[in-house]
Amino acid sequence: MNGSWTAGKKVSVADVFNDGNHQMTTDSSGRKLWQHTSDFNDEDTTKWVPQGITSTADALDAGTYEGINGWIVGWHRDDDKSVRVTFVNRAQDTYRHALLVYPHASDNFREVPVHAGGIMWYGNTLWVLDTYNGIRVFDLTNIWQVGSGDDVGKVSSGVYSAAGYKYVIPQIRWCKWSSPFKFRHSYMALDRITTPDSLIVGEYQTSTSDPIRLVRYELDYTTRRLKTDSSGVSKAVWAYCVDIERMQGAVSANGKFYLSRSNGASKGDLWAWVPGGAAKKNAGFYPRSPEDLSYDKRNGGRLYTVTEAEGVRYIINSPVSSVSF
């Protein structure tokens, strides 16, 4: 254990955004790149892989949160035994990683062992997918600064560490999948334009011999929870089988769907679809390995995605007007 200090400092979301310790750069196409220097390299690391993206426009309809305009990006560790999330301050082009944890005993915590294929920021909560088990929800009003040690959890009385990460965000709920059939929770996105707000969740499959489904759940903005029936069960209000292999992200807005697809080492596609009609492929719309999608109604409508392949990892901000339906 190296130089731990006493935990106990609770911080705000804005505090984390304003405490960036890594620098993003922008290429000639306007894509954001992670820090890639001799002493720190998020562009090429194989230990951590980016998967999900959400923004302050998801968090609140106003588009900013505690005065910040930013993104949160989720990364799974290569062994799927830990998840970190990255607070990207768009005004400063800086970022800071934080570790997701779940309570263990009354005074301890552990890493969250999931793939985290999709994330969604909703009010003061951060939602993270647990592939075959549902959705885990984390409390953004309860972010804690911890020590600098290598282990995760309690070191001694009042002293904690988190694998070198300065901040931890605790799990507060687990929306567990309870149907008798499997559903692969691969990606998700918020739709603020529906009434009420709703959540899209979809499946990644490599073959259409397996079902490739999209489902929509209604949300309660007053509680920041899924709407449920009298027994506490949340049931999808819409579902559709979509025969598009290798879908990595899906978001809906204004009755339209935007679907990202990976193509191995080749450029990724963006499919545009209005239910009731045929989907149109925008071939090569994205670089290699696009992942989760998020929508921002500001500035005429924007689509955000993150790409995962080493060496070509970007945050991409595209106008919806560039998508052909």
Side-chain angles (χ1 to χ4, degrees):
M1 191 60 58
N2 301 316
S4 298
W5 63 81
T6 302
K9 182 179 179 182
K10 188 175 175 182
V11 302
S12 69
V13 168
D15 289 334
V16 182
F17 271 117
N18 288 323
D19 191 24
N21 60 337
H22 300 296
Q23 189 70 43
M24 301 208 82
T25 55
T26 307
D27 70 8
S28 58
S29 298
R31 301 174 298 196
K32 298 293 183 182
L33 290 81
W34 304 101
Q35 183 171 320
H36 180 187
T37 58
S38 59
D39 61 340
F40 191 85
N41 187 353
D42 273 332
E43 271 296 307
D44 300 313
T45 180
T46 57
K47 182 177 181 179
W48 293 97
V49 183
Q51 292 290 291
I53 188 167
T54 186
S55 79
T56 49
D58 285 333
L60 296 174
D61 191 59
T64 58
Y65 192 95
E66 295 177 1
I68 300 293
N69 185 28
W71 293 296
I72 295 181
V73 173
W75 307 60
H76 73 90
R77 202 167 68 192
D78 57 355
D79 59 4
D80 277 350
K81 293 184 177 179
S82 188
V83 178
R84 71 182 188 185
V85 293
T86 308
F87 291 73
V88 181
N89 188 318
R90 295 178 62 179
Q92 300 176 10
D93 261 351
T94 57
Y95 66 95
R96 162 79 68 172
H97 299 306
L99 194 70
L100 297 185
V101 298
Y102 74 93
H104 172 64
S106 62
D107 63 346
N108 208 348
F109 55 80
R110 291 180 176 174
E111 293 163 287
V112 178
V114 302
H115 188 74
I119 63 173
M120 180 190 77
W121 187 355
Y122 193 47
N124 55 15
T125 59
L126 185 66
W127 301 38
V128 177
L129 291 180
D130 184 341
T131 308
Y132 289 109
N133 299 307
I135 305 170
R136 300 191 187 216
V137 182
F138 296 82
D139 186 1
L140 291 174
T141 69
N142 200 25
I143 306 173
W144 289 87
Q145 179 177 323
V146 296
S148 59
D150 296 329
D151 290 344
V152 176
K154 186 176 181 179
V155 178
S156 60
S157 180
V159 180
Y160 299 82
S161 64
Y165 294 101
K166 187 175 180 179
Y167 302 109
V168 295
I169 307 170
Q171 180 178 312
I172 52 169
R173 283 193 297 279
W174 192 352
C175 307
K176 291 190 176 183
W177 178 254
S178 59
S179 294
F181 57 89
K182 285 186 176 181
F183 184 90
R184 189 173 184 174
H185 300 76
S186 300
Y187 43 85
M188 68 175 166
L190 176 66
D191 189 338
R192 280 194 167 278
I193 298 173
T194 56
T195 304
D197 296 342
S198 60
L199 166 66
I200 293 291
V201 183
E203 295 182 291
Y204 170 89
Q205 302 287 3
T206 57
S207 170
T208 55
S209 62
D210 297 309
I212 306 175
R213 295 164 289 195
L214 292 176
V215 297
R216 185 187 297 274
Y217 297 94
E218 292 185 336
L219 297 167
D220 185 340
Y221 81 93
T222 64
T223 62
R224 304 301 183 186
R225 293 173 179 257
L226 292 169
K227 280 185 172 286
T228 61
D229 61 21
S230 58
S231 62
V233 175
S234 180
K235 297 180 180 179
V237 296
W238 175 89
Y240 201 93
C241 282
V242 182
D243 289 333
I244 300 175
E245 306 99 325
R246 304 184 307 279
M247 281 201 305
Q248 300 277 8
V251 65
S252 63
N254 298 305
K256 298 178 178 180
F257 279 79
Y258 304 85
L259 314 168
S260 63
R261 181 171 79 170
S262 59
N263 295 311
S266 300
K267 288 184 177 182
D269 303 325
L270 183 68
W271 289 77
W273 176 52
V274 177
K280 181 171 183 178
K281 181 171 71 171
N282 290 250
F285 187 90
Y286 285 127
R288 179 185 173 190
S289 302
E291 291 290 320
D292 209 18
L293 292 169
S294 181
Y295 176 80
D296 185 342
K297 71 177 184 181
R298 296 175 296 173
N299 301 311
R302 313 293 297 189
L303 281 180
Y304 304 136
T305 194
V306 60
T307 55
E308 75 166 18
E310 303 100 78
V312 286
R313 286 182 177 151
Y314 309 110
I315 294 176
I316 300 174
N317 174 356
S318 306
V320 296
S321 60
S322 64
V323 182
S324 176
F325 278 84

